[in-house]
Amino acid sequence: MNLNSLPIRAGHAALNLINEGRGITTAERVERLNAVGVKEAAAILASLSLQKAVHVLNQPELHRAADILTVLPPEQAAKLLNATANDRVADILLEMDEDVRGGLVARLDMSTRQAIQTLMGYPPRTAGAIMTTEFVSVPDDWTVGQALQHVRQVERSRETVYAIYVLDSKTHALSHVVTLRRLINGEENASILTVAQMGEPVTAQPLMKQEDVARLIRKHNLLALPIVNDEQHMLGIVTVDDVIDTMIADTTEDAQKFGGMEALGKPYMQISFAGMIRKRAGWLAALFLGEMLTASAMQHFEGELEKAVVLTLFIPLIMSSGGNSGSQATSLIIRALALGELKLSDWWRVLLRELPTGVTLGAILGLVGLVRIVAWQQIGLFDYGPHWQLVGLTVFAALIGIVTFGSICGSMLPFLLQKIRLDPASASAPFVATLVDVTGLVIYFSVALAILSGTLL
């Protein structure tokens, strides 16, 4: 069925797309829709057959899907949504205004409406929120032949047929899983249980975090993970491609936060100028205020700087070393927490590990700085004054303290944020660097006072 009856006309881009319709892939159509305006994208979608249009809508890579459907007449938009995967429909509807969403939901088939209302009721970032209710299930008293015939009948309307879920014929609880490969190789008249996998199926609850779902799928090498309730009744499945999509979105969000800004939530070119300023200005202002504390710290040690101007030469070295060590530790811990390699209760293990690590790294950098001062003094490239040995010792000792503090601070901050239920990715590299900059100066000048007191100071 075509959607050509829509009162929308496609432009040149749409005509080109239609002319090439038989020779391009769904992914290429999605790219072209993303490259044009919403109205023209709606016209292009309307010019495609229902099957091709649904294939396009099913792709998470399609931007502004909610806006595109809003432009279409409600009855035609509802026709497309009825044929689209339920989990994708739920995602699209959540992006719409409530009044538009309500009008479309009222036009959906009863089964589709019930399915998406259930999916939309689960909290974000949980198994229930990313699962699909379109899976293949058969009772345990069927034969292999009956199951194969059922797969042939429903395969077009299911997310995947690579796993067939066997339900208890009396309780309807999930009892076994059969892979499509084993089903095909089974004897037609044999019981479906003869080709079922041994042991209890790997399942998840609908409120399980999507990170834990991803770990389960990876651990057991699954193509789909069944989601069940307390009675082991199947609610849906989470497929590996759904997990990949959510992981890509989460990785993008964490990368943006780690760069010292709010997550954009949309592709870069889709963000308005005002939106870009809003996302970036807050963090930049906060970081700037933090850096102002660095100026305050230098003002506090103004007298020492006047007496020993040579100390100012090493301020950039000191600040950057502490910030770099803190950023390294933060990156490692955030990733380990995301992968489940570390738990909140492991903070003390990390502390005991980062303490000697920071001391060792600081000693290495301090030794490099000391060698540099000695070499420059002996070669005659720069004169650090009559007390150059003490200046070198100050830099050496300060770097040990600053790098150690940076490593501890950078490793503990993600635990602290997770403890207060904030995203550990908020412990961005610029934030850690700013924090360590201020304390680094205090450490540097405190060490200088202890070593150079009575000589330069």
Side-chain angles (χ1 to χ4, degrees):
M1 178 184 295
N2 271 346
L3 301 178
N4 291 327
S5 59
L6 294 178
I8 301 176
R9 292 294 175 261
H12 293 296
L15 291 175
N16 291 337
L17 183 65
I18 297 168
N19 291 336
E20 300 175 27
R22 295 178 177 239
I24 66 173
T25 64
T26 299
E28 289 171 333
R29 288 194 181 93
V30 170
E31 288 181 359
R32 297 192 184 192
L33 288 177
N34 289 337
V36 300
V38 172
K39 290 185 178 180
E40 189 168 4
I44 295 174
L45 196 66
S47 302
L48 299 174
S49 66
L50 179 61
Q51 182 180 7
K52 290 179 180 178
V54 169
H55 284 326
V56 170
L57 278 179
N58 269 321
Q59 305 305 309
E61 294 78 16
L62 177 65
H63 308 320
R64 306 165 301 171
D67 295 335
I68 293 171
L69 287 176
T70 301
V71 173
L72 296 175
E75 63 275 9
Q76 297 295 345
K79 184 182 295 184
L80 287 171
L81 291 176
N82 274 324
T84 304
N86 290 337
D87 56 333
R88 177 61 175 156
V89 173
D91 292 339
I92 294 174
L93 290 177
L94 284 172
E95 297 176 4
M96 293 181 175
D97 296 333
E98 289 190 15
D99 54 342
V100 178
R101 182 195 309 159
L104 281 178
V105 170
R107 287 179 167 84
L108 297 178
D109 297 340
M110 180 61 70
S111 58
T112 303
R113 189 188 315 159
Q114 291 176 343
I116 64 170
Q117 286 176 339
T118 299
L119 292 174
M120 292 169 65
Y122 291 110
R125 306 174 68 86
T126 62
I130 61 174
M131 75 178 181
T132 179
T133 56
E134 297 160 335
F135 56 89
V136 181
S137 62
V138 298
D140 60 5
D141 55 3
W142 275 21
T143 64
V144 170
Q146 287 177 304
L148 275 173
Q149 182 60 30
H150 179 66
V151 170
R152 294 189 187 101
Q153 292 174 349
V154 302
E155 61 90 12
R156 288 184 177 273
S157 61
R158 297 298 185 267
E159 180 85 4
T160 179
V161 296
Y162 295 115
I164 294 90
Y165 300 97
V166 181
L167 310 182
D168 187 286
S169 56
K170 295 180 180 178
T171 65
H172 303 291
L174 176 64
S175 60
H176 295 86
V177 178
V178 176
T179 63
L180 183 61
R181 173 182 292 180
R182 296 200 64 180
L183 184 65
I184 293 174
N185 292 327
E187 293 291 336
E188 187 171 348
N189 295 323
S191 168
I192 186 69
L193 297 178
T194 61
V195 292
Q197 294 178 343
M198 301 296 293
E200 293 186 4
V202 179
T203 62
Q205 294 286 315
L207 296 182
M208 177 181 283
K209 294 181 180 179
Q210 62 186 32
E211 295 87 352
D212 296 329
V213 171
R215 280 192 283 272
L216 266 181
I217 288 179
R218 182 182 64 177
K219 178 180 178 180
H220 297 281
N221 196 26
L222 303 174
L223 291 176
L225 177 69
I227 309 301
V228 299
N229 60 17
D230 294 336
E231 290 76 34
Q232 286 297 105
H233 293 161
M234 282 198 65
L235 303 175
I237 60 173
V238 174
T239 58
V240 67
D241 59 314
D242 292 331
V243 170
I244 291 173
D245 292 335
T246 56
M247 289 176 66
I248 290 175
D250 288 346
T251 302
T252 301
E253 180 179 315
D254 289 346
Q256 290 167 351
K257 288 183 179 179
F258 205 67
M261 60 179 291
E262 292 183 41
L264 294 181
K266 294 181 180 180
Y268 178 84
M269 296 304 294
Q270 300 291 331
I271 297 292
S272 65
F273 176 78
M276 185 68 74
I277 297 299
R278 198 164 50 248
K279 295 288 186 180
R280 298 170 65 174
W283 264 103
L284 281 177
L287 293 172
F288 180 73
L289 291 174
E291 290 292 355
M292 289 177 67
L293 296 176
T294 304
S296 300
M298 293 185 68
Q299 290 170 3
H300 179 74
F301 293 100
E302 183 180 4
E304 287 73 15
L305 287 173
E306 290 177 352
K307 295 177 183 178
V309 179
V310 68
L311 294 178
T312 62
L313 300 175
F314 301 100
I315 289 178
L317 169 72
I318 295 295
M319 293 172 65
S320 63
S321 297
N324 290 341
S325 65
S327 298
Q328 279 186 344
T330 300
S331 301
L332 292 172
I333 301 306
I334 287 177
R335 191 57 181 163
L337 286 171
L339 294 176
E341 298 170 354
L342 291 175
K343 299 178 181 178
L344 190 59
S345 58
D346 292 326
W347 68 269
W348 64 274
R349 298 177 187 272
V350 175
L351 178 61
L352 293 178
R353 186 181 180 90
E354 284 298 318
L355 182 58
T357 300
V359 171
T360 304
L361 293 173
I364 293 173
L365 295 182
L367 185 60
V368 173
L370 179 60
V371 170
R372 194 260 194 195
I373 292 174
V374 172
W376 260 239
Q377 183 73 30
Q378 295 300 323
I379 296 173
L381 293 177
F382 191 86
D383 184 10
Y384 294 102
H387 304 289
W388 62 270
Q389 298 96 334
L390 294 179
V391 172
L393 181 60
T394 298
V395 172
F396 175 78
L399 278 170
I400 293 178
I402 291 168
V403 172
T404 302
F405 178 81
S407 297
I408 293 175
C409 179
S411 61
M412 291 296 103
L413 192 57
F415 286 106
L416 176 61
L417 290 173
Q418 191 174 71
K419 177 66 176 179
I420 60 178
R421 300 185 182 279
L422 293 178
D423 188 355
S426 300
S428 63
F431 179 72
V432 173
T434 301
L435 178 62
V436 177
D437 282 351
V438 179
T439 53
L441 281 175
V442 175
I443 293 173
Y444 178 42
F445 286 112
S446 298
V447 171
L449 280 172
I451 294 177
L452 298 175
S453 182
T455 53
L456 290 178
L457 301 177

